[in-house]
Structures are given as C-alpha cells and as structure tokens.
C-alpha cells in the first residue's frame, strides 16, 4: 500500500499543486484502503504525509505552499494496517530541475540502496550506516546526523535507531526478520540542520537543498526484502 501510494504521489507532484492537496489525496487513499495514516496525531503531527521542499529536510507540514517547476519535493508516507506499520519516502523533481538537484536525488537514492544491500544476517547495523555515509561522502554530499532511521513493526518507531553515519562492523548483529526503516537525508551543503518555529519542519542551516529516501526493509538470510518496493 505504501509503495502504491508513493506512485500516486509521484503522479500528483507537479508544478501548481499545493502540498496540502497532496496530503488530502494521500489521506483519502489510505482511508479508502482500510488503513490508518501513521503520522497523523503522532506527537501531535497534524497531517498524513510529510512534504519537505528544497531546503526542507524532513517533517515539512503540508499546507498552502504551491510546488514550482524546478523544486524538489520529499514525500514521506506511513500507514498502519492490521496492527503493523510501514514507512517510506522519496524525493521527486518537480518538472525539470537543475543538475545539482538531480545529482542530490540520485545520490540519496543510491545511498539508500547501498544501505539496504547490507541488511542481511551476519552483518552489523553499523554496516548499513557506513554504506550510506560512504556512498554520500564519495559523491561530495553531507549526511544529516540528528535524524535517523529506525526499527518498525507494531510501532512506527522501534529500536534500534538506524544512523546514516558511523563505522562498519559495529552495533547490534542483524538477524533475519528484523524490520528496519532505513532513511538517509543528504545535503548539497553542510550537514547542519535546524527546526523551524512550527516545531516540525527540519531545514538545512545553510538553506541548501536536501534529499530524503526511505524504505521499510526486512533483514534476510541471503538478501534483504524491501517491503515498500
Ligand atoms: N519517516 C519519518 C520518521 O520516521 C516520518 C515521521 S513523521 C511524524 O520520522 F510525524 F510521524 F513524526
Ligand atoms: Co521513518
């Protein structure tokens, strides 16, 4: 359901649409599929999706903001169905975007893919973290540290935290069946972030652009299973 919803979001993200409209569409989709929006009401969060535009990193609150050609829009969705949570995000270009923005989007997706590839039994959690960090930094991008991925299951956020940085070969051993939400946030400029006065929206300190991709993944014996692919 989460992957389907992100495909709907991909079709709806275009110049002229408001982030509030995207939220309405997502909420209607979730409810019509008999599920519950995971984010709405979570610590008072007011919407069903997060929509984080350009310099916004994560947790942007949908509203009257109109997407413009050349923007990049991070759309993060989560649902609860039959007692279990699933969480995923993608950063979409709005129409044609500049080279740097496309590079940011591609690198963030690649960093996530490299992290996911480590989600197999016998590895350590730190192998995921290091794969994400090294992929990002090889491409000259910085990695946000204040926000991290997480275990997921009967709650949206469970242990362990899944940092997007740190040394390999450390942290808890990965075991088949663990469910992890891996979610790198990469910046074109510095890695520092701050929270806007709305109490939610995380932005880069230098106001340069940020990308965010997330998948919910099961650790496997031989290979990872991407639940939200
Ligand atoms: N994927 C994000 C996270 O894991 C979305 C949470 S939004 C919130 O933090 F509103 F629920 F906090
Ligand atoms: Co998450």
């Amino acid at each position: 359901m989460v992957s389907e919803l992100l495909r709907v979001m991909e079709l709806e993200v275009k110049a002229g649409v408001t982030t509030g409209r995207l939220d309405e569409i997502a909420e209607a989709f979730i409810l019509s599929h008999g599920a519950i929006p995971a984010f709405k009401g979570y610590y008072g969060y007011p919407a069903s999706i997060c929509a984080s535009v350009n310099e916004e990193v994560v947790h942007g609150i949908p509203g009257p903001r109109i997407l413009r050609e050349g923007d990049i829009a991070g759309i993060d969705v989560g649902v609860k169905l039959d007692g279990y949570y699933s969480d995923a995000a993608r950063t979409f270009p709005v129409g044609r975007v500049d080279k740097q923005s496309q590079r940011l989007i591609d690198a963030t997706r690649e960093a996530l893919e490299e992290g996911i590839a480590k989600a197999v039994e016998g590895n350590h959690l730190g192998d995921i973290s290091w794969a994400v960090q090294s992929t990002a930094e090889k491409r000259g991008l910085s990695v946000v540290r204040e926000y991290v991925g997480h275990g997921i299951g009967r709650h949206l956020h469970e242990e362990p935290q899944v940092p997007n940085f740190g040394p390999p070969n450390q942290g808890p051993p990965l075991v088949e069946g663990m469910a992890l939400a891996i979610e790198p946030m990469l910046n074109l400029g510095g890695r520092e972030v701050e929270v806007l006065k709305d109490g939610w929206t995380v932005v880069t300190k230098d106001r340069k652009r940020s990308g965010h991709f997330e998948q919910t993944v099961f650790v496997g014996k031989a290979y990872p299973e991407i639940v939200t692919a």
Side-chain angles (χ1 to χ4, degrees):
M1 190 188 305
V2 163
S3 67
E4 244 184 87
L5 174 53
L6 280 176
R7 294 206 311 196
V8 171
M9 293 287 100
E10 182 174 22
L11 295 173
E12 298 290 342
V13 166
K14 49 195 168 209
V17 76
T18 66
T19 55
R21 178 67 192 140
L22 296 174
D23 183 57
E24 285 175 9
I25 294 166
E27 182 168 305
F29 179 99
I30 295 167
L31 295 175
S32 73
H33 285 72
I36 297 166
F39 301 166
K40 202 166 195 176
Y42 189 79
Y43 290 95
Y45 186 75
S48 294
I49 67 170
C50 302
S52 309
V53 183
N54 298 342
E55 76 283 358
E56 298 171 356
V57 179
V58 286
H59 303 166
I61 301 173
R65 181 173 185 163
I66 298 168
L67 296 181
R68 309 274 180 205
E69 174 104 11
D71 285 346
I72 61 171
I75 305 293
D76 191 344
V77 306
V79 305
K80 182 186 188 186
L81 182 66
D82 299 335
Y84 285 92
Y85 286 87
S86 184
D87 185 8
R90 287 166 63 188
T91 298
F92 300 113
V94 182
R96 281 185 66 86
V97 299
D98 61 33
K99 271 215 170 68
Q100 287 289 79
S101 297
Q102 192 58 53
R103 202 170 69 82
L104 173 67
I105 288 173
D106 293 342
T108 310
R109 190 196 299 105
E110 275 176 51
L112 172 58
E113 284 168 0
E114 295 299 326
I116 290 171
K118 303 294 181 188
V120 290
E121 192 164 295
N123 285 343
H124 289 79
L125 191 73
D127 296 324
I128 296 175
S129 306
W130 175 243
V132 172
Q133 181 182 8
S134 57
T135 305
E137 291 178 352
K138 252 184 260 166
R139 286 158 181 67
L141 299 163
S142 64
V143 173
V144 173
R145 303 201 175 205
E146 288 81 356
Y147 300 86
V148 297
H150 48 94
I152 183 167
R154 290 190 176 275
H155 303 275
L156 177 61
H157 295 138
E158 298 186 357
E159 286 188 32
Q161 292 196 357
V162 184
N164 297 301
F165 60 94
N169 245 303
Q170 291 188 26
L174 299 178
V175 176
E176 183 182 23
M178 284 178 168
L180 302 174
I182 307 174
E183 50 179 318
M185 290 142 268
L186 269 51
N187 297 346
L188 277 177
R191 69 172 164 85
E192 296 78 16
V193 298
E194 62 192 12
V195 180
L196 296 184
K197 286 206 183 72
D198 65 18
W200 282 102
T201 311
V202 179
V203 297
T204 56
K205 273 207 172 137
D206 59 15
R207 300 300 192 266
K208 292 188 176 168
R209 290 182 172 198
S210 185
H212 178 219
F213 279 78
E214 176 177 24
Q215 300 274 29
T216 295
V217 173
F218 290 147
V219 173
K221 266 220 184 336
Y223 50 85
E225 182 182 345
I226 306 175
V227 185
T228 46

mmCIF file with all atom_site columns, all heavy atoms in Angstrom, residues 87 150 157 181 183 214, ligand 2:
data_model
loop_
_atom_site.group_PDB
_atom_site.id
_atom_site.type_symbol
_atom_site.label_atom_id
_atom_site.label_alt_id
_atom_site.label_comp_id
_atom_site.label_asym_id
_atom_site.label_entity_id
_atom_site.label_seq_id
_atom_site.pdbx_PDB_ins_code
_atom_site.Cartn_x
_atom_site.Cartn_y
_atom_site.Cartn_z
_atom_site.occupancy
_atom_site.B_iso_or_equiv
_atom_site.pdbx_formal_charge
_atom_site.auth_seq_id
_atom_site.auth_comp_id
_atom_site.auth_asym_id
_atom_site.auth_atom_id
_atom_site.pdbx_PDB_model_num
ATOM   1  N  N   . ASP A 1 87  ? 6.581  2.475 6.399  1.00 0.00 ? 87  ASP A N   1
ATOM   2  C  CA  . ASP A 1 87  ? 7.051  3.869 6.319  1.00 0.00 ? 87  ASP A CA  1
ATOM   3  C  C   . ASP A 1 87  ? 8.012  3.980 5.134  1.00 0.00 ? 87  ASP A C   1
ATOM   4  O  O   . ASP A 1 87  ? 8.939  3.173 5.021  1.00 0.00 ? 87  ASP A O   1
ATOM   5  C  CB  . ASP A 1 87  ? 7.773  4.151 7.652  1.00 0.00 ? 87  ASP A CB  1
ATOM   6  C  CG  . ASP A 1 87  ? 8.240  5.579 7.852  1.00 0.00 ? 87  ASP A CG  1
ATOM   7  O  OD1 . ASP A 1 87  ? 7.901  6.442 7.043  1.00 0.00 ? 87  ASP A OD1 1
ATOM   8  O  OD2 . ASP A 1 87  ? 8.941  5.804 8.860  1.00 0.00 ? 87  ASP A OD2 1
ATOM   9  N  N   . HIS A 1 150 ? 15.067 3.737 11.747 1.00 0.00 ? 150 HIS A N   1
ATOM   10 C  CA  . HIS A 1 150 ? 14.529 3.136 12.962 1.00 0.00 ? 150 HIS A CA  1
ATOM   11 C  C   . HIS A 1 150 ? 13.990 1.736 12.706 1.00 0.00 ? 150 HIS A C   1
ATOM   12 O  O   . HIS A 1 150 ? 13.585 1.419 11.576 1.00 0.00 ? 150 HIS A O   1
ATOM   13 C  CB  . HIS A 1 150 ? 13.394 4.028 13.503 1.00 0.00 ? 150 HIS A CB  1
ATOM   14 C  CG  . HIS A 1 150 ? 12.391 4.440 12.448 1.00 0.00 ? 150 HIS A CG  1
ATOM   15 N  ND1 . HIS A 1 150 ? 11.239 3.739 12.217 1.00 0.00 ? 150 HIS A ND1 1
ATOM   16 C  CD2 . HIS A 1 150 ? 12.406 5.457 11.536 1.00 0.00 ? 150 HIS A CD2 1
ATOM   17 C  CE1 . HIS A 1 150 ? 10.571 4.321 11.220 1.00 0.00 ? 150 HIS A CE1 1
ATOM   18 N  NE2 . HIS A 1 150 ? 11.268 5.363 10.776 1.00 0.00 ? 150 HIS A NE2 1
ATOM   19 N  N   . HIS A 1 157 ? 8.048  3.830 15.367 1.00 0.00 ? 157 HIS A N   1
ATOM   20 C  CA  . HIS A 1 157 ? 9.464  3.920 15.712 1.00 0.00 ? 157 HIS A CA  1
ATOM   21 C  C   . HIS A 1 157 ? 9.786  2.903 16.794 1.00 0.00 ? 157 HIS A C   1
ATOM   22 O  O   . HIS A 1 157 ? 9.268  2.986 17.902 1.00 0.00 ? 157 HIS A O   1
ATOM   23 C  CB  . HIS A 1 157 ? 9.819  5.329 16.213 1.00 0.00 ? 157 HIS A CB  1
ATOM   24 C  CG  . HIS A 1 157 ? 9.665  6.372 15.150 1.00 0.00 ? 157 HIS A CG  1
ATOM   25 N  ND1 . HIS A 1 157 ? 9.101  7.602 15.372 1.00 0.00 ? 157 HIS A ND1 1
ATOM   26 C  CD2 . HIS A 1 157 ? 10.012 6.359 13.834 1.00 0.00 ? 157 HIS A CD2 1
ATOM   27 C  CE1 . HIS A 1 157 ? 9.106  8.309 14.247 1.00 0.00 ? 157 HIS A CE1 1
ATOM   28 N  NE2 . HIS A 1 157 ? 9.645  7.576 13.304 1.00 0.00 ? 157 HIS A NE2 1
ATOM   29 N  N   . ALA A 1 181 ? 13.370 0.659 9.080  1.00 0.00 ? 181 ALA A N   1
ATOM   30 C  CA  . ALA A 1 181 ? 13.120 1.767 8.143  1.00 0.00 ? 181 ALA A CA  1
ATOM   31 C  C   . ALA A 1 181 ? 14.448 2.499 7.991  1.00 0.00 ? 181 ALA A C   1
ATOM   32 O  O   . ALA A 1 181 ? 14.927 3.123 8.931  1.00 0.00 ? 181 ALA A O   1
ATOM   33 C  CB  . ALA A 1 181 ? 12.038 2.686 8.678  1.00 0.00 ? 181 ALA A CB  1
ATOM   34 N  N   . GLU A 1 183 ? 16.556 5.414 6.219  1.00 0.00 ? 183 GLU A N   1
ATOM   35 C  CA  . GLU A 1 183 ? 16.130 6.682 5.606  1.00 0.00 ? 183 GLU A CA  1
ATOM   36 C  C   . GLU A 1 183 ? 17.216 7.756 5.607  1.00 0.00 ? 183 GLU A C   1
ATOM   37 O  O   . GLU A 1 183 ? 17.206 8.650 6.441  1.00 0.00 ? 183 GLU A O   1
ATOM   38 C  CB  . GLU A 1 183 ? 14.842 7.206 6.246  1.00 0.00 ? 183 GLU A CB  1
ATOM   39 C  CG  . GLU A 1 183 ? 14.776 7.286 7.756  1.00 0.00 ? 183 GLU A CG  1
ATOM   40 C  CD  . GLU A 1 183 ? 13.427 7.865 8.224  1.00 0.00 ? 183 GLU A CD  1
ATOM   41 O  OE1 . GLU A 1 183 ? 12.946 8.823 7.617  1.00 0.00 ? 183 GLU A OE1 1
ATOM   42 O  OE2 . GLU A 1 183 ? 12.871 7.345 9.200  1.00 0.00 ? 183 GLU A OE2 1
ATOM   43 N  N   . GLU A 1 214 ? 13.438 6.695 1.757  1.00 0.00 ? 214 GLU A N   1
ATOM   44 C  CA  . GLU A 1 214 ? 13.236 5.736 2.849  1.00 0.00 ? 214 GLU A CA  1
ATOM   45 C  C   . GLU A 1 214 ? 12.516 4.503 2.331  1.00 0.00 ? 214 GLU A C   1
ATOM   46 O  O   . GLU A 1 214 ? 11.606 4.617 1.512  1.00 0.00 ? 214 GLU A O   1
ATOM   47 C  CB  . GLU A 1 214 ? 12.386 6.388 3.960  1.00 0.00 ? 214 GLU A CB  1
ATOM   48 C  CG  . GLU A 1 214 ? 12.023 5.460 5.112  1.00 0.00 ? 214 GLU A CG  1
ATOM   49 C  CD  . GLU A 1 214 ? 11.243 6.165 6.212  1.00 0.00 ? 214 GLU A CD  1
ATOM   50 O  OE1 . GLU A 1 214 ? 10.595 7.190 5.932  1.00 0.00 ? 214 GLU A OE1 1
ATOM   51 O  OE2 . GLU A 1 214 ? 11.281 5.688 7.356  1.00 0.00 ? 214 GLU A OE2 1
HETATM 52 CO CO1 . LIG B 2 .   ? 10.776 6.717 9.155  1.00 0.00 ? 2   LIG B CO1 1
#
